[in-house]
């Protein structure tokens, strides 16, 4: 039976990206050696990092003055690296969920943290709209896509202070105006690559503004200066990122990814809204195009396990919602096909007909 991977992360990747990465693990660049056993400083590996950076710049139209980095540690290490490198006195955070809260917790180790708005009052089912950004803060931190709650800021907001964004779960799903950001980061394992590499896009002249000493590995300037090669980078995940960047380019770039994301969301949200059994959890204007969250209506609550078992029997993988929200979550990243969304809809319809 065909499986449709709706996992929230690590998550679906294009089949050819997986095959190409697997092939390089057996024989990299016709060298007779595995990608796993070559030096990251080998002559034929530097082009991998160079091309990944160049493609990222091309696909997102990244302006001059920005550097693309491939680091370790995941988005979670960025929660601490960001304040280490940017927080002198005070930072502003928009609290849209668990990940934003975790980012704030780390920032508090370095200075004052102002929570400019929070949607915790309604279990993060919406993106706060009315807030004031303190102009005396060193930066504003946002989480563009809230993987757990299915809400998203799918626009590049205006900020009078340097804007820093965790884009772990909607990166490369739409065109970006990178010039509005001082730094963008995320773990690769949602929409870019296999787990193990963290992407960072940083405006070079935004660095070096804090007075504290920064440990070498946690100082972005180290990685800017050394081109992500200060120490041994995660070579296999970087290679898989390159394969995916090539895939995105070959399939029409981020504009095409954006169009597909809208198409997928229309299909799945359309069914969530139509089906008598289900209801979406996020406020409509805040709905994520990447993680589509829904629950059973109160009168059908007892069908929770039955629907999950039914969906699994139809080849749907990973549709169980996060424990903080319950219900179901269909993660529809770039690699999720329209066919996969239609299969999920057919499954929801069939289940409805049975009840
Ligand atoms: C998954 C996720 C993280 C955590 O990423 P790690 O790479 O596992 O540290 C952070 N932020 C968001 C929005 C996520 O979806």
């Amino acid at each position: 039976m065909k499986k449709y991977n709706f996992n929230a992360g690590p998550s679906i990747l294009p089949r050819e990206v997986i095959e190409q990465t697997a092939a390089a693990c057996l024989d990299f660049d016709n060298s007779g050696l595995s990608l796993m056993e070559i030096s990251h400083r080998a002559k034929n590996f530097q082009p991998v990092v160079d091309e990944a950076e160049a493609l990222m710049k091309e696909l997102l139209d990244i302006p001059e003055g920005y550097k693309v980095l491939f680091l370790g540690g995941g988005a979670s290490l960025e929660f601490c690296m960001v304040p280490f490198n940017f927080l002198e006195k005070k930072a502003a955070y928009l609290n849209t969920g668990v990940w934003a809260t975790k980012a704030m917790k780390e920032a508090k180790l370095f200075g004052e943290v102002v929570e400019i708005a929070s949607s915790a009052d309604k279990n993060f089912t919406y993106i706060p709209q009315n807030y004031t950004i303190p102009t005396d803060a060193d930066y504003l931190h946002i989480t563009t896509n809230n993987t757990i709650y299915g809400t998203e800021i799918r626009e590049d907001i205006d900020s009078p202070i340097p804007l820093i964004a965790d884009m772990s779960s909607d990166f490369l799903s739409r065109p970006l105006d990178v010039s509005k950001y001082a730094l963008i980061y995320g773990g690769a394992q949602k929409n870019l690559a296999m787990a193990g590499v963290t992407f960072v896009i940083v405006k070079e002249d935004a660095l070096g503004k804090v007075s504290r000493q920064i440990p070498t590995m946690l100082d972005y300037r180290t990685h800017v200066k050394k081109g992500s090669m200060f120490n041994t980078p995660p070579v296999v995940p970087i290679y898989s990122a390159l394969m995916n960047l090539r895939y995105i380019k070959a399939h029409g770039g981020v504009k095409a990814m954006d169009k597909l994301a809208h198409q997928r969301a229309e299909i799945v949200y359309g069914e969530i809204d139509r089906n008598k059994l289900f209801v979406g959890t996020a406020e409509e204007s805040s709905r994520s195009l990447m993680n589509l969250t829904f629950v059973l209506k109160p009168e059908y609550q007892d069908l929770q396990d039955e629907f999950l078992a039914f969906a699994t029997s139809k080849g749907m993988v990973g549709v169980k919602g996060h424990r903080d929200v319950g219900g179901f979550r269909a993660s529809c990243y770039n690699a999720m096909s329209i066919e996969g969304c239609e299969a999920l809809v057919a499954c929801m319809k069939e289940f409805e007909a049975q009840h």
Side-chain angles (χ1 to χ4, degrees):
M1 182 185 32
K2 187 159 172 139
K3 300 267 179 163
Y4 297 101
N5 184 357
F6 289 99
N7 276 321
S11 39
I12 188 169
L13 285 170
R15 189 67 205 173
E16 61 195 82
V17 168
I18 295 168
E19 283 169 0
Q20 288 159 345
T21 306
C25 286
L26 296 173
D27 181 2
F28 173 60
D29 195 31
N30 295 316
S31 63
L33 297 176
S34 166
L35 184 55
M36 296 178 199
E37 56 182 357
I38 58 157
S39 166
H40 56 293
R41 303 196 192 280
K43 271 212 180 65
N44 52 358
F45 188 73
Q46 186 62 49
V48 170
V49 178
D50 292 345
E51 188 187 339
E53 171 163 8
L55 265 179
M56 191 98 93
K57 286 185 167 169
E58 183 186 332
L59 288 168
L60 292 172
D61 203 10
I62 300 178
E64 288 284 304
Y66 284 80
K67 181 85 183 154
V68 177
L69 305 175
F70 297 100
L71 309 177
S76 299
L77 184 59
E78 299 306 306
F79 295 164
C80 121
M81 276 178 80
V82 163
F84 227 136
N85 285 264
F86 288 90
L87 204 170
E88 180 72 16
K89 276 211 167 75
K90 180 162 128 183
Y93 279 70
L94 184 64
N95 188 1
T96 51
V98 162
W99 296 118
T101 304
K102 286 187 174 170
M104 277 177 9
K105 177 172 180 255
E106 298 306 300
K108 284 173 188 163
L109 300 172
F110 298 89
E112 186 188 344
V113 170
V114 185
E115 183 186 80
I116 59 163
S118 166
S119 45
D121 59 339
K122 290 186 184 166
N123 197 31
F124 301 114
T125 48
Y126 68 102
I127 302 288
Q129 294 299 334
N130 296 314
Y131 49 78
T132 310
I133 302 168
T135 52
D136 61 341
D138 299 312
Y139 62 87
L140 167 64
H141 180 281
I142 60 170
T143 311
T144 53
N145 186 68
N146 300 284
T147 325
I148 294 172
Y149 312 92
T151 64
E152 186 177 16
I153 304 170
R154 210 171 167 84
E155 61 183 337
D156 304 304
I157 65 170
D158 291 308
S159 169
I161 54 176
L163 180 62
I164 295 182
D166 173 358
M167 290 198 189
S168 290
S169 52
D170 63 354
F171 189 60
L172 291 173
S173 76
R174 67 172 177 97
L176 287 178
D177 181 353
V178 174
S179 72
K180 287 193 170 179
Y181 301 85
L183 188 139
I184 293 167
Y185 69 86
Q189 69 277 13
K190 310 283 166 52
N191 204 24
L192 173 63
M194 61 183 279
V197 63
T198 313
F199 59 85
V200 173
I201 301 172
V202 59
K203 191 175 186 185
E204 287 182 62
D205 69 12
L207 295 171
K209 304 256 167 83
V210 289
S211 54
R212 74 175 60 84
Q213 298 263 314
I214 305 173
T216 311
M217 268 299 278
L218 300 181
D219 189 333
Y220 288 116
R221 288 170 299 181
T222 302
H223 304 289
V224 167
K225 200 166 136 208
K226 296 291 184 180
S228 304
M229 292 280 202
F230 171 72
N231 70 328
T232 318
V235 295
V236 180
I238 292 173
Y239 189 82
S240 71
L242 172 61
M243 292 305 110
N244 198 24
L245 290 161
R246 282 187 190 166
Y247 171 93
I248 293 169
K249 183 176 174 182
H251 288 80
V254 287
K255 258 198 173 144
M257 297 301 124
D258 187 36
K259 196 170 161 216
L260 267 172
H262 279 95
Q263 286 172 348
R264 283 188 303 254
E266 224 179 282
I267 293 169
V268 178
Y269 281 129
E271 178 59 17
I272 292 170
D273 294 340
R274 188 211 60 77
N275 196 301
K276 69 172 185 195
L277 305 177
F278 302 104
V279 59
T281 59
E283 275 184 19
E284 213 162 315
S285 59
S286 301
R287 279 178 165 179
S288 165
L289 301 194
M290 300 284 102
N291 312 95
L292 291 67
T293 50
F294 55 105
V295 291
L296 286 156
K297 285 185 185 158
E299 59 271 36
Y300 296 108
Q301 277 306 320
D302 53 336
L303 297 178
Q304 171 83 13
D305 293 343
E306 202 182 319
F307 178 68
L308 270 181
F310 183 76
T312 306
S313 77
K314 297 282 176 188
M316 308 300 137
V317 177
V319 294
K320 189 172 170 22
H322 187 279
R323 62 185 178 280
D324 289 350
V325 177
F328 316 101
R329 170 174 53 178
S331 295
C332 296
Y333 296 115
N334 284 350
M336 174 52 66
S337 61
I338 296 292
E339 179 207 329
C341 295
E342 284 168 347
L344 175 63
V345 165
C347 169
M348 291 164 75
K349 283 193 155 94
E350 200 179 328
F351 191 72
E352 179 191 34
Q354 291 177 5
H355 297 277

